[in-house]
Amino acid sequence: MFGRERVEYKTPEQVAVMRRAGLVVADALDAVRAALAPGVTTARLDAVAEDVITSAGATPSFLGYHGYPASLCVSVNDEIVHGIPGSRVLQPGDVVSVDCGAIVDGWHGDSAFTVVLDPADPADVELAATTEDAMWAGIAALATGERLGAVGEAVEEVVETAAARSGSAPFGIVEDYVGHGIGTAMHQPPDVPNFRTRDRGLKLRPGLCVAVEPMLVRGDQANRTLADDWTVVTDDGSRAAHWEHTVALLEDGIVVLTARDGGAARLRALGVEVASL
């Protein structure tokens, strides 16, 4: 059913199907993690993920989406998002962000992670870890906040705290690309900003399903899209990280549909209990 802002609110039964899609995505990303190593091509990672998705009887969300040619987005170093897998060979020290989506019975799951290949630059490791922490803080805010703007506030707080702790300038938060509603389409209302806004956003209520996905950079957030019309890179060449999970709000709390444990381990550490499906 839809609300005033054309937001698609899900029933518990529909969320259960999205959970199935989310677990397919989790399986695909686990397989990609296992395959990630210097010397591996990004096309190989794409093949690994597509095999997991199709073997589960699911459909890749990305393949053919507005003409996108692959089942994964693999973004390396200064690539923020939407990197197209191909002949690129991963190198030691690369920062690799992998984004994956799957469809089960018409319902989507979407998730992303970032790893730094050894030998890793400590600044890159901090970038990836801070982005992941920011994502989990944003997810937890869905359980404790009243409006959707709480996500962006939580993300900014993590970035500012990390900067204060290290005594350095905060990582840049990419504002041109945000989280989104998800369900019968991979991208649907509402937008989920990763930064503070004047508009506090819609009121949080059961049935809302969103993808929370902060993108941070070591330099300035200014970016551009390459000639392939997909790959987004930083203008200053600084490295980027991207983390994402699909989250459902239920009557008794939230559950991370693309995390194998529903997000329990990370959320409990933030004082949030995971809802039951």
Side-chain angles (χ1 to χ4, degrees), residues 65-105:
Y65 180 77
H66 295 294
Y68 188 76
S71 296
L72 284 183
C73 295
V74 185
S75 305
V76 183
N77 295 334
D78 64 333
E79 297 173 353
I80 301 170
V81 285
H82 305 158
I84 300 174
S87 60
R88 181 171 189 161
V89 178
L90 297 178
Q91 303 297 319
D94 277 349
V95 179
V96 186
S97 297
V98 181
D99 193 357
C100 180
I103 311 166
V104 172
D105 293 342

Side-chain angles (χ1 to χ4, degrees), residues 28 30-33 35 43-53 72:
D30 281 351
V32 170
R33 280 179 184 271
R44 174 57 187 158
L45 301 179
D46 185 65
V48 167
E50 185 170 333
D51 180 65
V52 171
I53 293 168
L72 284 183

